[in-house]
Amino acid sequence: MPMKVLIVDDTNTDRLLLKLHLSKLGYRSIEASNGQEAIDQFLEHSQDLDLILMDVQMPYMNGFDAVRSIRKIQEQQKQEWLPVIFLSASAEDDDVEDGILAGGDDYLIKPISQKVLSAKMLAMQRIADMRRRLVESNLVLEELASTDHLTGVANRRSFELMLDREMSFTRRYGVPMACAMFDLDKFKTVNDTFGHDAGDAVLVEVVNRIKGILREGDVIGRLGGEEFGIVLPNIQESEVLAIFERYRFIVAERPVLYEGVEIPITASIGVAMYTGKLEDKAAVLKRADESLYEAKNTGRNKVVYCS
C-alpha cells in the first residue's frame, strides 16, 4: 500500500507542488494549512498515516509547536513513532537543531529539489514498511502471549484481564454479569485410558462446542489443564442457570469421536454473579470455584450457582 502523507504548509502553491510531486511518486496525501489543522488531521488519520511534511513558519501555530503537540499525543496514547520532515527556508544550524529537538526526523531547505524529495521519500518508504512489519509482528506476539496454544481461547492471564474489564463496566453502569468456572469430569481417566493426544482432542472439541453457542461479547478462557472460565456480561440472575445448563448439556449430549473411538465426557460448572459490590476478581473467582467444588462433590455433570 502506498504511503499516506500529511502535507502542512500555509502557502497554497507550496502545498500544491508537494502534492503533485508526491502523486507522481505514487503517494497519497492529505493537507493542512497551519499547525492546529495539522494536529486535527493527525488525530483523524493517525491510524493510517505514514509521514508528515511540516512547514516551520506558519501563522496561529508554527511547525515546531505542532510537532511537539503531536509527539505528546503519541506518547499519551502509546502510538507508534510517525516520521516527521520539517520544511523551511532557513538553513541556520540552530533552526535545524531546534527541529530535531522538537521531534522531527529530518530537515529540508526550501525550495525543495524534486530529486532530493524523491530520495527522502524512498528512505521514508523503507521506514514505513519496517514500521508496518514491526506492528504486525507485535500484534502476532501479543496474540500468542494472550492465547492458549491448544484451544485457541484466552489463556489465564488474558481471561483475568477481560474479567477485570467487565467487572469495571458492571461497577460503573450497574449491569450485572456472571463468571463461571467449569471442569471436565474425570479427565485424568480420559488421558490414562485413551492417551494425552485424545485428551487434547477432547479439550479442543469441548471448547469448540461451547464457543459455537456463546453470545456475542461472552468470553471463554483456559485457566489450566481441563479447567476453564466463562464471563457473561450483561446477564440477569434469572437467566444464569438456563444458559449454563445449555453449556453443560452441549458438552455431555454426545461423546467426542477420536480416531474412531467414542469418548464420553461431562462437565461440572460453578457460577458466581457479580452486581458491582466492592470485590476484586480473585474473590469472584473464588466464589465460582467454591460452586464448582460443590458441583464436583455432589454428583458431577451439573451446574451449581450460589447467589
Side-chain angles (χ1 to χ4, degrees):
M1 181 182 291
M3 283 202 302
K4 185 174 182 179
V5 183
L6 171 58
I7 301 169
V8 188
D9 200 305
D10 63 318
T11 305
N12 291 337
T13 53
D14 286 354
R15 284 202 313 277
L16 180 60
L17 282 172
L18 281 170
K19 188 173 183 178
L20 287 172
H21 292 336
L22 294 180
S23 179
K24 288 178 183 177
L25 295 170
Y27 301 115
R28 300 173 296 153
S29 61
I30 55 176
E31 301 175 48
S33 61
N34 60 61
Q36 185 56 56
E37 280 187 20
I39 294 169
D40 295 339
Q41 289 280 47
F42 167 76
L43 289 170
E44 184 176 348
H45 299 277
S46 62
Q47 296 305 312
D48 63 345
L49 201 58
D50 297 296
L51 171 68
I52 299 177
L53 296 177
M54 179 74 74
D55 188 24
V56 175
Q57 296 300 328
M58 294 182 292
Y60 308 114
M61 179 186 291
N62 67 41
F64 291 164
D65 289 341
V67 170
R68 288 189 189 97
S69 296
I70 287 170
R71 293 305 189 205
K72 188 173 182 180
I73 293 168
Q74 286 186 300
E75 184 180 352
Q76 290 171 343
Q77 299 184 2
K78 297 181 179 179
Q79 295 178 351
E80 299 292 332
W81 187 264
L82 179 66
V84 174
I85 298 178
F86 282 115
L87 314 174
S88 176
S90 171
E92 295 295 326
D93 290 350
D94 287 347
D95 291 333
V96 175
E97 181 185 31
D98 288 344
I100 302 303
L101 291 175
D105 301 288
D106 207 339
Y107 192 101
L108 294 181
I109 310 302
K110 292 182 176 183
I112 298 165
S113 155
Q114 289 190 40
K115 188 174 287 189
V116 171
L117 179 63
S118 178
K120 293 291 184 181
M121 292 305 297
L122 181 59
M124 290 300 150
Q125 180 72 65
R126 292 172 184 154
I127 292 172
D129 291 342
M130 190 184 308
R131 178 169 167 251
R132 284 197 193 98
R133 288 196 296 271
L134 181 61
V135 170
E136 289 168 3
S137 297
N138 285 340
L139 288 173
V140 170
L141 290 173
E142 186 178 330
E143 184 175 350
L144 289 172
S146 62
T147 304
D148 175 59
H149 73 282
L150 176 65
T151 61
V153 298
N155 60 19
R156 184 174 193 117
R157 174 180 171 274
S158 180
F159 176 81
E160 290 191 4
L161 287 172
M162 288 184 278
L163 174 59
D164 255 338
R165 181 192 66 199
E166 295 302 337
M167 287 176 64
S168 295
F169 186 88
T170 293
R171 281 193 294 271
R172 184 171 182 179
Y173 297 104
V175 180
M177 56 159 283
C179 175
M181 295 175 70
F182 76 89
D183 189 285
L184 301 188
D185 298 325
K186 299 184 178 179
F187 187 70
K188 184 177 184 301
T189 303
V190 173
N191 282 329
D192 291 345
T193 305
F194 303 102
H196 287 277
D197 288 345
D200 287 349
V202 167
L203 292 172
V204 172
E205 173 63 16
V206 166
V207 166
N208 287 339
R209 289 182 188 181
I210 292 177
K211 280 171 63 179
I213 59 172
L214 284 177
R215 306 172 311 163
E216 185 177 355
D218 293 348
V219 174
I220 181 171
R222 187 180 180 193
L223 305 183
E226 68 274 20
E227 189 174 72
F228 295 83
I230 298 179
V231 171
L232 272 58
N234 191 16
I235 185 171
Q236 299 302 314
E237 191 170 5
S238 58
E239 304 172 290
V240 169
L241 276 177
I243 290 178
F244 284 106
E245 275 293 343
R246 189 179 176 211
Y247 296 157
R248 183 203 60 77
F249 175 78
I250 202 169
V251 172
E253 68 171 334
R254 67 182 188 278
V256 174
L257 189 64
Y258 177 73
E259 295 187 347
V261 178
E262 291 187 343
I263 305 173
I265 195 73
T266 61
S268 299
I269 304 175
V271 185
M273 283 292 292
Y274 180 70
T275 57
K277 66 179 182 179
L278 292 177
E279 188 179 30
D280 61 15
K281 70 173 180 287
V284 173
L285 287 169
K286 182 179 179 182
R287 287 197 288 116
D289 191 44
E290 288 170 349
S291 296
L292 172 60
Y293 184 81
E294 183 179 340
K296 302 287 278 188
N297 282 350
T298 55
R300 298 187 178 90
N301 189 24
K302 65 194 298 187
V303 178
V304 169
Y305 163 57
C306 294
S307 60

